[in-house]
Amino acid sequence: NAGVTQTPKFQVLKTGQSMTLQCAQDMNHNSMYWYRQDPGMGLRLIYYSASEGTTDKGEVPNGYNVSRLNKREFSLRLESAAPSQTSVYFCASSREGGGYEQYFGPGTRLTVT
Amino acid sequence: QQQVKQSPQSLIVQKGGIPIINCAYENTAFDYFPWYQQFPGKGPALLIAIRPDVSEKKEGRFTISFNKSAKQFSLHIMDSQPGDSATYFCAARVNYGGSQGNLIFGKGTKLSVKP
């Protein structure tokens, strides 16, 4: 089992460019999450998907969109990147919804210049 | 109300010492309190978790102490080792009702265990 995988590992964008961060899990989990991690700020929830076919906003959704493509895959899209979106992005999954027992991917380090 | 306040920001202990990391919260609707461990360049990993009907939980060298009346919980690492050097995050689950809820994370504590 690979667990939760994320691509790419690193990305540099210019302001205004768009990109999609990919996440996949092979644990047959129902719920998936996107977080961002900034120095001294902990982890903040961007969007989550409690089950296939549903998505909801988290604490910091502005500037992002998500797609739950199927049970395995949950992507995060930046339509017009801004320097404030420079961060490390983590995808996570859990067997059940509600925030319990989340398994995290290795992260994507994004820099917006 | 939705915050989890974690302290200290950083902590240095000698091998064999017992580092203690504290977290405090205000929202009485929080109903699940996990701790995550994160090594540099890796994603966080669930270490141990407690529910508010229990005052203490041990898993190996890691212990959570929970004080419901004070709205505080803490992580103790017994016989700490250099391999425990990592950043530790406390979190609390906010209950939206039914089975819905999500985690609010503290800002993290960077622990260094010196040999």
Side-chain angles (χ1 to χ4, degrees):
Chain A
N1 281 354
V4 179
T5 56
Q6 293 182 235
T7 55
K9 286 187 167 31
F10 301 94
Q11 184 71 49
V12 179
L13 291 178
K14 294 187 189 305
T15 298
Q17 288 184 319
S18 62
M19 79 162 294
T20 300
L21 281 63
Q22 306 286 355
C23 173
Q25 52 90 10
D26 63 1
M27 295 175 283
N28 200 34
H29 284 173
N30 291 312
S31 300
M32 298 185 74
Y33 312 81
W34 276 105
Y35 291 90
R36 61 178 289 174
Q37 184 176 36
D38 302 293
M41 294 295 291
L43 290 143
R44 292 182 293 169
L45 183 64
I46 304 171
Y47 270 93
Y48 65 101
S49 172
S51 61
E52 187 178 355
T54 69
T55 59
D56 283 289
K57 294 178 180 179
E59 181 185 353
V60 289
N62 291 347
Y64 306 96
N65 285 301
V66 291
S67 295
R68 183 74 184 266
L69 304 169
N70 48 55
K71 190 172 185 179
R72 290 187 62 248
E73 298 172 289
F74 188 38
S75 63
L76 178 72
R77 183 160 178 84
L78 286 70
E79 290 291 352
S80 178
S84 61
Q85 294 178 305
T86 293
S87 188
V88 181
Y89 291 86
F90 288 101
C91 177
S93 70
S94 62
R95 183 173 55 84
E96 56 181 300
Y100 300 108
E101 293 191 43
Q102 295 183 24
Y103 292 79
F104 283 78
T108 293
R109 185 172 293 274
L110 175 66
T111 302
V112 183
T113 61
Chain B
Q1 279 275 335
Q2 297 286 55
Q3 285 184 337
V4 178
K5 294 183 179 179
Q6 184 172 347
S7 62
Q9 279 188 311
S10 63
L11 188 54
I12 300 174
V13 299
Q14 292 295 128
K15 177 183 173 183
I18 305 176
I20 301 173
I21 305 170
N22 300 298
C23 286
Y25 63 97
E26 290 293 327
N27 191 342
T28 56
F30 289 158
D31 63 0
Y32 168 77
F33 301 87
W35 285 88
Y36 282 79
Q37 180 188 55
Q38 184 180 30
F39 293 105
K42 305 291 187 184
L46 180 62
L47 190 61
I48 186 172
I50 197 168
R51 293 184 189 256
D53 54 346
V54 175
S55 61
E56 185 176 276
K57 183 173 181 180
K58 291 184 181 181
E59 285 188 5
R61 294 183 295 107
F62 300 92
T63 299
I64 300 179
S65 296
F66 187 82
N67 186 328
K68 189 174 181 177
S69 60
K71 298 180 201 167
Q72 295 176 348
F73 58 109
S74 59
L75 177 71
H76 301 230
I77 306 176
M78 305 301 176
D79 187 27
S80 60
Q81 302 296 314
D84 296 328
S85 297
T87 299
Y88 292 82
F89 293 95
C90 64
R93 177 184 181 268
V94 56
N95 188 344
Y96 296 149
S99 62
Q100 296 302 307
N102 274 311
L103 294 180
I104 307 293
F105 283 84
K107 295 185 177 182
T109 296
K110 186 173 182 180
L111 172 66
S112 294
V113 181
K114 300 298 184 186

